[in-house]
């Protein structure tokens, strides 16, 4: 309510996305307590709103992969979900043909699946549009990136090793090769099949990039064989294993001859 004297102004603001009718009662009262009132009927006509689409996060695939169904939400207050048309569009049809954008689900819960073209890499902006029966539209977009197939890193330069018991072992050099060119980001883990011979705590990895080394220390006085397993893991989760055997031979006890002394009398047989 605004204004003074005989000229006044009434403003109304209906609730968002609501329609229907309501009765508004205005009461006027003077200083002596006399009053009068008037009733107004306010009718709010429904207005068609475009469908609502839930956000879809950016996606990343490797060449040859298909995108598993992604759930998203579809809402519309005026049009039944079965009458809402959902379509998909690609900014890069060579990478993602629009015929390979597939929708599933029903009602408000929908899904989207993608099948990029084989042996192609790159990116495409995927746009999902929803259109109601009065042809009002809404849309949401996400970026799809297709990388070349991830090839796991390799470990080379290690071979079986034979040691004498309690023999010191120099660091064993090995090489990391990453086809993606990111050897510095490759993580290496080591394990021993026989901790009684070569404890896990004695396996120490060092180096960065391609040039790495492994130091191992057999348990003092122990002998036998252990399989040492190294695993190289790249930043995309690709991994490859390599194993080699470490054999520790037991110490050989050599016989010791004691010196003997013999006394004889001249011309007497010994």
């Amino acid at each position: 309510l605004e204004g003074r004297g005989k000229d006044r102004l009434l403003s109304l603001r209906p609730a968002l996305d609501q329609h229907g009718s309501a009765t508004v009662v205005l009461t006027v009262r003077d200083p002596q307590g006399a009053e009068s009132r008037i009733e107004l009927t306010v009718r709010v006509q429904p207005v068609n709103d475009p469908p609502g689409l839930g956000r879809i996060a950016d996606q990343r695939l490797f060449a040859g992969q298909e995108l598993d169904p992604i759930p998203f939400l579809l809402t519309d207050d005026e049009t039944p979900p079965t009458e809402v048309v959902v379509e998909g569009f690609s900014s890069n049809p060579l990478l993602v043909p629009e015929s390979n954008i597939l929708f599933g689900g029903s009602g408000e819960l929908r899904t989207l699946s993608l099948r990029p073209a084989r042996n192609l890499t790159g990116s495409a902006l995927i746009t999902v549009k929803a259109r109601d029966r009065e042809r009002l539209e809404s849309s949401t977009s996400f970026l799809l990136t297709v990388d070349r197939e991830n090839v796991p890193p390799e470990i080379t330069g290690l071979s079986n090793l034979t040691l004498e018991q309690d023999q010191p072992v120099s660091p064993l050099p090995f090489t990391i090769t990453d086809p993606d060119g990111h050897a510095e980001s490759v993580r290496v883990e080591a394990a021993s099949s026989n901790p009684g011979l070569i404890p896990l705590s004695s396996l120490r990895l060092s180096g960065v990039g391609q040039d790495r080394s492994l130091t191992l220390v057999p348990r003092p006085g122990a002998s036998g064989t252990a399989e040492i397993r190294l695993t190289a893991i790249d930043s995309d989760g690709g991994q490859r294993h390599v194993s080699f055997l470490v054999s520790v031979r037991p110490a050989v006890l050599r016989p010791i001859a004691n010196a003997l002394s013999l006394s004889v009398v001249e011309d007497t047989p010994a």
Side-chain angles (χ1 to χ4, degrees), residues 7 41 65 68 85 90 117 123 141 155 171 183 210 212 228 236 257-258:
D7 298 320
T41 299
Q65 285 185 315
D68 292 334
V85 178
S90 170
S123 61
S141 299
I155 299 176
Q210 293 185 333
R212 310 288 181 101
I228 305 302
D236 292 315
N258 294 322

mmCIF file of all heavy atoms in Angstrom, residues 7 41 65 68 85 90 117 123 141 155 171 183 210 212 228 236 257-258:
data_model
loop_
_atom_site.group_PDB
_atom_site.id
_atom_site.type_symbol
_atom_site.label_atom_id
_atom_site.label_comp_id
_atom_site.label_asym_id
_atom_site.label_seq_id
_atom_site.Cartn_x
_atom_site.Cartn_y
_atom_site.Cartn_z
ATOM 1 N N ASP A 7 -5.822 9.584 -2.356
ATOM 2 C CA ASP A 7 -5.218 8.834 -3.469
ATOM 3 C C ASP A 7 -4.249 7.788 -2.916
ATOM 4 O O ASP A 7 -3.178 8.125 -2.412
ATOM 5 C CB ASP A 7 -4.480 9.780 -4.430
ATOM 6 C CG ASP A 7 -5.426 10.789 -5.082
ATOM 7 O OD1 ASP A 7 -6.543 10.381 -5.431
ATOM 8 O OD2 ASP A 7 -5.026 11.965 -5.225
ATOM 9 N N THR A 41 -11.351 -9.760 -6.099
ATOM 10 C CA THR A 41 -10.966 -11.100 -6.540
ATOM 11 C C THR A 41 -9.843 -10.972 -7.567
ATOM 12 O O THR A 41 -10.001 -10.299 -8.596
ATOM 13 C CB THR A 41 -12.152 -11.849 -7.154
ATOM 14 O OG1 THR A 41 -13.172 -11.994 -6.156
ATOM 15 C CG2 THR A 41 -11.715 -13.240 -7.610
ATOM 16 N N GLN A 65 35.815 -46.255 -26.671
ATOM 17 C CA GLN A 65 34.882 -46.402 -25.565
ATOM 18 C C GLN A 65 33.520 -45.795 -25.903
ATOM 19 O O GLN A 65 33.418 -44.902 -26.744
ATOM 20 C CB GLN A 65 35.421 -45.720 -24.299
ATOM 21 C CG GLN A 65 36.531 -46.452 -23.592
ATOM 22 C CD GLN A 65 36.902 -45.751 -22.296
ATOM 23 O OE1 GLN A 65 37.048 -44.542 -22.250
ATOM 24 N NE2 GLN A 65 37.062 -46.520 -21.234
ATOM 25 N N ASP A 68 28.710 -44.571 -20.895
ATOM 26 C CA ASP A 68 27.627 -45.246 -20.180
ATOM 27 C C ASP A 68 26.465 -44.278 -19.953
ATOM 28 O O ASP A 68 26.664 -43.048 -19.898
ATOM 29 C CB ASP A 68 28.126 -45.769 -18.831
ATOM 30 C CG ASP A 68 29.135 -46.898 -18.997
ATOM 31 O OD1 ASP A 68 29.072 -47.584 -20.030
ATOM 32 O OD2 ASP A 68 29.986 -47.065 -18.105
ATOM 33 N N VAL A 85 9.518 -33.470 -25.974
ATOM 34 C CA VAL A 85 10.458 -34.016 -26.954
ATOM 35 C C VAL A 85 11.883 -33.672 -26.528
ATOM 36 O O VAL A 85 12.193 -32.499 -26.281
ATOM 37 C CB VAL A 85 10.176 -33.460 -28.363
ATOM 38 C CG1 VAL A 85 11.195 -34.001 -29.363
ATOM 39 C CG2 VAL A 85 8.757 -33.817 -28.791
ATOM 40 N N SER A 90 25.260 -32.250 -31.757
ATOM 41 C CA SER A 90 26.716 -32.322 -31.611
ATOM 42 C C SER A 90 27.364 -31.222 -32.429
ATOM 43 O O SER A 90 27.016 -31.011 -33.592
ATOM 44 C CB SER A 90 27.226 -33.691 -32.079
ATOM 45 O OG SER A 90 28.635 -33.704 -32.165
ATOM 46 N N ALA A 117 32.485 -41.856 -32.922
ATOM 47 C CA ALA A 117 32.986 -42.584 -34.085
ATOM 48 C C ALA A 117 34.285 -43.294 -33.714
ATOM 49 O O ALA A 117 35.089 -42.788 -32.918
ATOM 50 C CB ALA A 117 33.210 -41.630 -35.250
ATOM 51 N N SER A 123 37.132 -33.232 -29.532
ATOM 52 C CA SER A 123 36.115 -32.800 -28.578
ATOM 53 C C SER A 123 34.864 -32.342 -29.315
ATOM 54 O O SER A 123 34.926 -31.961 -30.496
ATOM 55 C CB SER A 123 36.642 -31.678 -27.678
ATOM 56 O OG SER A 123 37.000 -30.546 -28.461
ATOM 57 N N SER A 141 24.173 -28.001 -22.036
ATOM 58 C CA SER A 141 25.291 -28.476 -22.849
ATOM 59 C C SER A 141 26.428 -28.972 -21.965
ATOM 60 O O SER A 141 26.579 -28.540 -20.814
ATOM 61 C CB SER A 141 25.813 -27.359 -23.767
ATOM 62 O OG SER A 141 24.815 -26.927 -24.662
ATOM 63 N N ILE A 155 58.005 -51.147 -18.020
ATOM 64 C CA ILE A 155 59.231 -51.200 -17.214
ATOM 65 C C ILE A 155 60.193 -52.153 -17.913
ATOM 66 O O ILE A 155 59.843 -53.300 -18.200
ATOM 67 C CB ILE A 155 58.939 -51.701 -15.790
ATOM 68 C CG1 ILE A 155 57.966 -50.762 -15.077
ATOM 69 C CG2 ILE A 155 60.237 -51.831 -14.995
ATOM 70 C CD1 ILE A 155 57.554 -51.253 -13.709
ATOM 71 N N PRO A 171 72.146 -50.651 -6.248
ATOM 72 C CA PRO A 171 70.848 -50.280 -6.829
ATOM 73 C C PRO A 171 70.681 -50.855 -8.236
ATOM 74 O O PRO A 171 71.611 -50.842 -9.041
ATOM 75 C CB PRO A 171 70.907 -48.752 -6.846
ATOM 76 C CG PRO A 171 71.846 -48.394 -5.735
ATOM 77 C CD PRO A 171 72.886 -49.478 -5.752
ATOM 78 N N ALA A 183 56.365 -39.768 -18.621
ATOM 79 C CA ALA A 183 57.040 -40.701 -17.721
ATOM 80 C C ALA A 183 57.225 -40.111 -16.327
ATOM 81 O O ALA A 183 57.260 -40.846 -15.336
ATOM 82 C CB ALA A 183 58.402 -41.097 -18.305
ATOM 83 N N GLN A 210 62.206 -41.211 -16.847
ATOM 84 C CA GLN A 210 62.494 -42.536 -17.396
ATOM 85 C C GLN A 210 63.486 -43.328 -16.556
ATOM 86 O O GLN A 210 63.428 -44.559 -16.512
ATOM 87 C CB GLN A 210 63.040 -42.384 -18.820
ATOM 88 C CG GLN A 210 62.028 -41.861 -19.824
ATOM 89 C CD GLN A 210 62.604 -41.844 -21.228
ATOM 90 O OE1 GLN A 210 63.808 -41.744 -21.425
ATOM 91 N NE2 GLN A 210 61.731 -41.947 -22.219
ATOM 92 N N ARG A 212 64.930 -44.813 -13.400
ATOM 93 C CA ARG A 212 64.569 -45.183 -12.032
ATOM 94 C C ARG A 212 65.527 -46.254 -11.527
ATOM 95 O O ARG A 212 66.302 -46.840 -12.298
ATOM 96 C CB ARG A 212 63.137 -45.731 -11.973
ATOM 97 C CG ARG A 212 62.073 -44.882 -12.663
ATOM 98 C CD ARG A 212 61.752 -43.614 -11.939
ATOM 99 N NE ARG A 212 60.721 -42.864 -12.639
ATOM 100 C CZ ARG A 212 59.439 -42.847 -12.292
ATOM 101 N NH1 ARG A 212 59.021 -43.568 -11.271
ATOM 102 N NH2 ARG A 212 58.577 -42.105 -12.976
ATOM 103 N N ILE A 228 60.092 -60.490 -7.145
ATOM 104 C CA ILE A 228 59.903 -59.050 -6.944
ATOM 105 C C ILE A 228 59.016 -58.539 -8.079
ATOM 106 O O ILE A 228 59.327 -58.741 -9.257
ATOM 107 C CB ILE A 228 61.251 -58.301 -6.933
ATOM 108 C CG1 ILE A 228 62.175 -58.905 -5.875
ATOM 109 C CG2 ILE A 228 61.020 -56.823 -6.671
ATOM 110 C CD1 ILE A 228 61.614 -58.885 -4.467
ATOM 111 N N ASP A 236 46.331 -41.795 -15.805
ATOM 112 C CA ASP A 236 44.982 -42.182 -16.231
ATOM 113 C C ASP A 236 44.569 -43.537 -15.672
ATOM 114 O O ASP A 236 43.522 -44.073 -16.032
ATOM 115 C CB ASP A 236 44.895 -42.218 -17.758
ATOM 116 C CG ASP A 236 45.016 -40.822 -18.366
ATOM 117 O OD1 ASP A 236 44.365 -39.908 -17.839
ATOM 118 O OD2 ASP A 236 45.763 -40.657 -19.339
ATOM 119 N N ALA A 257 91.391 -77.941 8.131
ATOM 120 C CA ALA A 257 92.358 -78.978 8.547
ATOM 121 C C ALA A 257 93.220 -78.450 9.679
ATOM 122 O O ALA A 257 93.840 -77.389 9.560
ATOM 123 C CB ALA A 257 93.225 -79.386 7.367
ATOM 124 N N ASN A 258 93.276 -79.216 10.829
ATOM 125 C CA ASN A 258 94.109 -78.814 11.958
ATOM 126 C C ASN A 258 95.530 -79.382 11.786
ATOM 127 O O ASN A 258 95.723 -80.528 11.363
ATOM 128 C CB ASN A 258 93.529 -79.347 13.272
ATOM 129 C CG ASN A 258 92.178 -78.692 13.587
ATOM 130 O OD1 ASN A 258 92.011 -77.508 13.341
ATOM 131 N ND2 ASN A 258 91.250 -79.487 14.132
#
